[in-house]
Amino acid sequence: MNAREQARSSTAEGTQGTSDPEEIRDDIKRTRDDLGETVTALVEKTDVKQQAQRIAQENPMPLALAGTFGAGFLLGRLLSR
């Protein structure tokens, strides 16, 4: 169990049965923050353009090869006329 899960677990256990409004507000704030982080992570994972850019930056070789192939193809077409 990582630190976030432990904090979430202890928070859930710690606020059960409590009627202290401040503890309840803190729990709600933590839950909203966690939800915000989750939504942000999901948006990043589903952003296809961002994922493609990240992959191209991590491994530029396929992009370079595709560009070289495309340039060679166009040059071949122009010279064969």
Side-chain angles (χ1 to χ4, degrees):
M1 183 180 302
N2 65 27
R4 179 183 284 174
E5 290 170 340
Q6 288 175 348
R8 191 176 295 142
S9 175
S10 64
T11 300
E13 293 169 1
T15 58
Q16 289 178 351
T18 185
S19 59
D20 182 20
E22 192 62 34
E23 285 184 31
I24 294 170
R25 284 188 198 100
D26 289 343
D27 188 39
I28 291 170
K29 183 180 181 325
R30 281 189 295 274
T31 302
R32 284 182 180 158
D33 291 343
D34 287 345
L35 182 59
E37 291 174 13
T38 301
V39 169
T40 301
L42 286 172
V43 167
E44 289 173 359
K45 285 184 177 184
T46 57
D47 186 351
V48 176
K49 184 176 180 181
Q50 182 183 17
Q51 291 292 327
Q53 289 174 346
R54 182 185 55 80
I55 290 170
Q57 289 173 356
E58 289 176 0
N59 189 7
M61 186 59 71
L63 184 60
L65 290 174
T68 303
F69 175 77
F73 179 77
L74 290 175
L75 185 61
R77 296 282 300 207
L78 290 173
L79 292 177
S80 67
R81 289 184 170 188

